[in-house]
Amino acid sequence: MKIRYLSGILLLAAGLFATSCDDEENYSVRTGEIISEVTTGNASVTAISAEVSGTVKDLTLVSPSSYEVGAYYGTSDNPATTGSKKVGSVDENGHVVASITGLTTGATYYYVTYVTLQNKVTRFGEVKSFVATNTKVSTKEATDVTSGKATFSADITGTDGLPAYEKGVKLSLSADDITSGMSHELATVSGLLPGTTYYYTAFAKIGNGYVYGETKTLTTATQQMEYVDLGLSILWAKNNIGADRETDAGTLFGYGDQTGMLTSTRVDDYPSSDIVGSAYDIIHNLDLDGDSPMKSQMPTNAQMAELVNNTTRQWTTVDGVEGMRFTAKNGNSIFLPAGGYRDGETTVSDAAGYYWSGNISTVHNDYANTLTFNSSSAKAGISKRSLGLSLRPVRPYAELNPESGKLAFGDIEGNGRLRIEIYNEYGDTQKNPPIDPSSIKFNNNMVVSFTLTGITGNLKSGAASAYVAGLEYSDPSWGVSYWSDLKMHEYEALVTGDGTYTVWMEVLERANGAVVFCVDIDGLGADIVDWEKVGVEVNAIKLDADVAQEINHSIVDFNNKDGNGVDGRIEIYNEYGSSGAAAPGAYNSSMKFNGLMLVEFTIDGINGNLVDGASKNYHTELSYAAASWDPSYWGGANYGSDTVTGDGTYRVYTYLNGNCEGAVVWTIELYDLWKDLVDSSKAGVTINKVITPGKY
C-alpha cells in the first residue's frame, strides 16, 4: 500500500485528521498547525439577500485548489447539518465573504463560516443569525465636527414587527472596509484623530445582520497643540491627542498604531521595540506643530519619570472629570484626565489614567512602558501593547545650531565692531547660510549663545576691559526686530575676553524668518591684534526659550536694610535673614545661569504713604552672590537700575560672567525709601518674574 500526503495539506486543530484508504493508496489529511482560527462574522442584509463574512487563518501557504471556503445557511439553528452551502471567497488576510440570495423577507436565517481541505475535512466557525428585512437606513451628514469629535445621526424605517435591534455608525479610514470599521452610537463620538478623513455609514443591527445606509466622509480639523513649560527637559502638551479640551481622553491608541482604529488584541500586530521618533511614533504623521521648527513626539519613559519626580501631584476634578494635576516648581501645570482604556473594541471605564510612552518594556516585550496614576499615586507602569491608551505628546524646546564653518565674522562693516553674521540677506551668508532663515520662528523670545576664543591676550595695548554685545535682527517684514544700540541693557552681554556669552530679545508679535541676523560687539573688532587666532562659534539659537527662574514667593520679605532705618530691602533670599531661616538653601540646586539676571517686581502702598518733603525718587540696585559667593554683584554698575517713583512695576538687573549656581544673598535695595515711609506696614512687594536667559 502506497502512502501519499496530498499537496497543499496543512495542519488544522491538533489531533484532527481524516483518512481514506483503498487497495491502491492511503490518503491522509492532517489538520492542526496552520488553520488556527475559523470565525463567523457579521452579515450585511436586505429583504431578500445577504452577504455574510467570516475569518479563516491561515491559508496563505495553501494552493487555492486544495481548499474551499464559504457559509452554510438555513432557517434551523444547525445550518452546518440541515442548511444549504454557499461557496465564497477569501482574501490574503483570511477574510471570507459569501453572497446569499433568494431569501424570504422577515425570516430568521442561521449561518456559519466553513473551510474544507481537499474535500476531506471541514472546520466551522460559530453559528450566528440575521433577519432578512426591508429596513432602510439613511446616513445623515455629520455635524459639529472638531479636531477630535463629530456628531452622527440617521433615519431608520421599516423596523415595525422586528425584534429589538441596535443602531449606530461605523467609522473607517477606507471606503472599502467600512463594514468592518469601528462601531459607535449615533451620538457625539469623541476620540477621533485630528486632521483625518473618515468614512462613515449608519446601520441598524438585527441579530448579527446589518442594514447599512449610504457611506459618507468627514475630515476632522487639525489640532494645533499648545505646550506648557514645566521647567523640564522638554515641553508637555496641554491636551491629549484628539482632545478638544484638557479634560478629554482623546484618541485611544494601541502601541504604535498611527490610526487609532486598530482593535486587534494580538500583541504581534503591534511594534515590539522602542518607537519614539520613528516611523511608528503615533504622532509621526500628525500635523500638530504648525510652523514650529520643532516637532512633537511620544514621551520617553525617562521623560515620564522626570515629570513625576519634578512636579507635585494632586488628584482633582476639572469640569466633572477626575484626573491628576502635575504642577511644576515654576507654577505651571498640566492636567491628565483618568478614565480607563480600550481592550479590543470595548472601552473599559476605570478611575485611573494610562498613558503610553514610546519605549518597550524591558521586563516583557508584550508590554510597553506607561505612566499610570490614580487617586493615591503616579508612577511608571507597563501595559499590554494591544490595549488602547491615551497619549500626551511632548516637544523639545526650539533650538537651532548653525554650521560654524559657514559663519562670517570680523570687522565686516569697517566700524570697529566684531560682527558675527549668522544670516544677512545683504552679506556673505546669503549665498551660503549657516542656518535656514525660514526656521527662525518665535512668539516670545530668541536667545543666542556664542563662544569666543583667541581674544584674551590678543588685544592692543590700552584696549577696553569689557565690550557690549547685542543682537541685530529683523524678520522679512522689517516690523519684528531688535537693533541693539550696544549700550548695556537687559538684552545685551558684557564681553570680557574668551568665554561663552548670551544675548537675547523679546517680541510682542510673532517673528517669522530672518532677513538680518547678527551679533555685534562694539569696539572689539578694532582692538584685535591677530585675526588668525580668533575663533567664533554660535552654540545655540533658542526660540521661545525657558528664561524664567523659579521663585519661592512665600519667603520674599520687604523690610529695612540691615536695620539702618534708611533703606528699603526686598529680600528674595538671604541665608542670614528670615528667608534663610524659613527655607535654608532654597536655591542651591534650582538656580544655574551665566550672564544676565533680571528681576521684575511690583511695589504698592507707597503713594500717599510718604512723609512731607520726600524725594519720591528712590535708586534701586540688585545684590546677589552665588552659593559659593562667586560670582557676585554688590552694585556699582552704571546700568540695570530703575528708579522707584511710587506704586508700579520696575526692573532691576545685573550681568555676571561665570557660572552662577544657587544663591546665598539675593536682594533688591531701595535706597532712602524706608526713612520716607509713614507706615511701612502698608507697603508691599510682589516679585513678578526673574529672567535668566543664560540658564544651563
Side-chain angles (χ1 to χ4, degrees):
M1 182 181 296
K2 294 187 295 183
I3 304 296
R4 187 179 70 186
Y5 286 89
L6 300 176
S7 65
I9 295 172
L10 298 180
L11 308 176
L12 272 161
L16 274 180
F17 64 90
T19 62
S20 174
C21 181
D22 59 24
D23 291 338
E24 296 296 323
E25 303 175 306
N26 182 10
Y27 295 92
S28 178
V29 178
R30 298 188 301 168
T31 64
E33 293 180 2
I34 299 301
I35 303 298
S36 59
E37 178 182 319
V38 181
T39 61
T40 303
N42 296 314
S44 177
V45 302
T46 70
I48 57 173
S49 66
E51 183 176 87
V52 298
S53 64
T55 303
V56 175
K57 293 186 176 180
D58 184 3
L59 293 169
T60 54
L61 299 178
V62 185
S63 170
S65 63
S66 63
Y67 65 82
E68 179 183 276
V69 297
Y72 281 84
Y73 70 98
T75 54
S76 77
D77 59 6
N78 189 10
T81 302
T82 63
S84 302
K85 181 173 74 171
K86 183 65 176 179
V87 177
S89 61
V90 62
D91 66 15
E92 68 275 11
N93 297 314
H95 299 143
V96 176
V97 175
S99 298
I100 303 169
T101 58
L103 304 180
T104 301
T105 303
T108 298
Y109 289 88
Y110 298 86
Y111 65 101
V112 61
T113 299
Y114 76 88
V115 57
T116 299
L117 295 182
Q118 294 287 2
N119 294 318
K120 299 294 181 181
V121 175
T122 300
R123 288 272 314 268
F124 296 97
E126 65 273 41
V127 175
K128 294 186 175 182
S129 68
F130 63 83
V131 176
T133 176
N134 58 9
T135 297
K136 301 295 182 184
V137 176
S138 177
T139 307
K140 290 187 173 182
E141 296 289 338
T143 58
D144 303 323
V145 179
T146 69
S147 62
K149 295 180 181 178
T151 300
F152 299 94
S153 59
D155 288 329
I156 301 175
T157 60
T159 59
D160 293 344
L162 292 177
Y165 68 94
E166 299 176 27
K167 58 184 177 180
V169 63
K170 282 185 176 285
L171 274 70
S172 174
L173 299 180
S174 166
D176 295 336
D177 61 1
I178 184 67
T179 58
S180 58
M182 292 182 67
S183 296
H184 298 273
E185 294 182 358
L186 285 172
T188 298
V189 175
S190 59
L192 302 182
L193 202 60
T196 301
T197 297
Y198 287 92
Y199 296 83
Y200 63 97
T201 180
F203 67 81
K205 182 184 179 185
I206 308 158
N208 295 107
Y210 284 80
V211 179
Y212 293 104
E214 312 94 310
T215 297
K216 297 179 178 291
T217 64
L218 67 85
T219 300
T220 53
T222 56
Q223 184 175 15
Q224 197 71 67
M225 192 60 72
E226 179 181 349
Y227 279 86
V228 180
D229 179 8
L230 299 175
L232 304 178
S233 63
I234 40 79
L235 299 166
W236 280 84
K238 184 177 180 180
N239 296 350
N240 290 347
I241 295 294
D244 294 332
R245 303 171 300 173
E246 66 175 354
T247 53
D248 293 341
T251 311
L252 300 181
F253 303 88
Y255 183 74
D257 170 29
Q258 295 189 49
T259 68
M261 301 289 285
L262 183 58
T263 58
S264 170
T265 57
R266 289 165 39 94
V267 293
D268 290 345
D269 291 334
Y270 301 85
S272 57
S273 60
D274 293 345
I275 60 176
V276 173
S278 75
Y280 287 105
D281 191 317
I282 297 168
I283 305 170
H284 185 72
N285 291 319
L286 293 181
D287 180 14
L288 300 179
D289 301 298
D291 56 2
S292 168
M294 310 309 288
K295 298 304 179 186
S296 301
Q297 63 182 33
M298 298 175 71
T300 65
N301 195 40
Q303 289 163 349
M304 286 182 159
E306 180 188 41
L307 175 69
V308 172
N309 295 333
N310 293 277
T311 58
T312 57
R313 294 157 304 286
Q314 180 187 15
W315 185 261
T316 186
T317 300
V318 178
D319 295 335
V321 177
E322 289 187 315
M324 185 75 77
R325 183 166 293 282
F326 296 79
T327 302
K329 294 177 181 178
N330 62 12
N332 295 336
S333 69
I334 57 172
F335 175 77
L336 270 62
Y341 56 93
R342 191 187 71 230
D343 189 0
E345 288 200 25
T346 302
T347 299
V348 180
S349 297
D350 192 345
Y354 306 93
Y355 285 73
W356 284 125
S357 80
N359 296 118
I360 205 71
S361 170
T362 57
V363 177
H364 195 307
N365 72 357
D366 278 358
Y367 296 79
N369 294 119
T370 58
L371 172 63
T372 303
F373 57 86
N374 54 32
S375 59
S376 59
S377 67
K379 58 186 178 182
I382 58 174
S383 290
K384 206 167 187 178
R385 304 197 318 265
S386 59
L387 296 180
L389 308 186
S390 294
L391 177 60
R392 182 64 62 96
V394 297
R395 189 168 75 193
Y397 293 96
E399 183 172 312
L400 305 175
N401 303 107
E403 296 183 50
S404 295
K406 295 183 177 181
L407 292 169
F409 68 91
D411 187 359
I412 293 176
E413 295 190 321
N415 55 9
R417 299 175 180 177
L418 191 163
R419 165 162 285 187
I420 305 170
E421 187 175 284
I422 302 170
Y423 179 77
N424 187 350
E425 192 168 300
Y426 310 98
D428 292 340
T429 53
Q430 190 272 336
K431 293 181 179 179
N432 190 28
I435 60 166
D436 176 1
S438 67
S439 65
I440 303 294
K441 300 171 182 177
F442 57 99
N443 295 307
N444 302 309
N445 63 58
M446 176 167 63
V447 177
V448 179
S449 168
F450 64 95
T451 297
L452 300 176
T453 56
I455 303 296
T456 302
N458 189 24
L459 298 178
K460 296 176 182 177
S461 176
S465 60
Y467 303 84
V468 177
L471 275 174
E472 316 292 354
Y473 167 81
S474 177
D475 77 352
S477 73
W478 293 95
V480 183
S481 63
Y482 181 75
W483 305 100
S484 176
D485 62 4
L486 297 180
K487 301 184 185 302
M488 193 60 199
H489 301 297
E490 60 262 45
Y491 302 115
E492 278 68 44
L494 277 176
V495 174
T496 57
D498 294 354
T500 298
Y501 302 93
T502 300
V503 291
W504 69 300
M505 61 177 288
E506 295 176 291
V507 293
L508 297 177
E509 57 184 295
R510 183 171 180 79
N512 194 344
V515 63
V516 174
F517 186 14
C518 307
V519 176
D520 279 351
I521 308 173
D522 193 33
L524 180 57
D527 285 347
I528 291 174
V529 174
D530 185 354
W531 280 98
E532 294 294 326
K533 296 180 179 179
V534 177
V536 173
E537 181 177 357
V538 175
N539 307 311
I541 301 167
K542 297 181 180 180
L543 310 174
D544 292 333
D546 172 20
V547 298
Q549 170 67 47
E550 65 184 75
I551 291 295
N552 186 341
H553 296 277
S554 67
I555 62 174
V556 175
D557 187 26
F558 182 40
N559 53 38
N560 173 218
K561 177 185 177 183
D562 299 327
N564 64 10
V566 177
D567 304 316
R569 167 175 281 177
I570 303 170
E571 187 176 282
I572 303 171
Y573 180 75
N574 185 352
E575 192 169 302
Y576 308 99
S578 61
S579 54
Y587 296 98
N588 285 357
S589 61
S590 62
M591 178 185 290
K592 293 183 178 182
F593 73 98
N594 185 321
L596 175 76
M597 175 201 281
L598 182 150
V599 182
E600 181 183 285
F601 65 95
T602 297
I603 188 166
D604 57 40
I606 294 179
N607 292 352
N609 189 25
L610 297 174
V611 298
D612 291 341
S615 73
K616 298 183 180 179
N617 289 280
Y618 303 99
H619 177 66
T620 62
E621 204 146 46
L622 186 67
S623 297
Y624 167 81
S628 63
W629 286 94
D630 183 42
S632 63
Y633 175 75
W634 307 103
N638 59 356
Y639 60 85
S641 299
D642 275 358
T643 298
V644 172
T645 58
D647 295 353
T649 297
Y650 302 91
R651 284 185 164 192
V652 59
Y653 62 92
T654 186
Y655 196 93
L656 294 157
N657 283 326
N659 291 341
C660 302
E661 297 189 15
V664 62
V665 174
W666 187 8
T667 63
I668 300 171
E669 321 298 356
L670 294 91
Y671 295 106
D672 295 322
L673 175 62
W674 203 259
K675 69 179 178 60
D676 284 351
L677 288 173
V678 175
D679 185 352
S680 61
S681 67
K682 292 182 179 180
V685 297
T686 300
I687 303 298
N688 302 322
K689 57 186 175 183
V690 174
I691 294 174
T692 52
K695 293 174 72 171
Y696 63 93

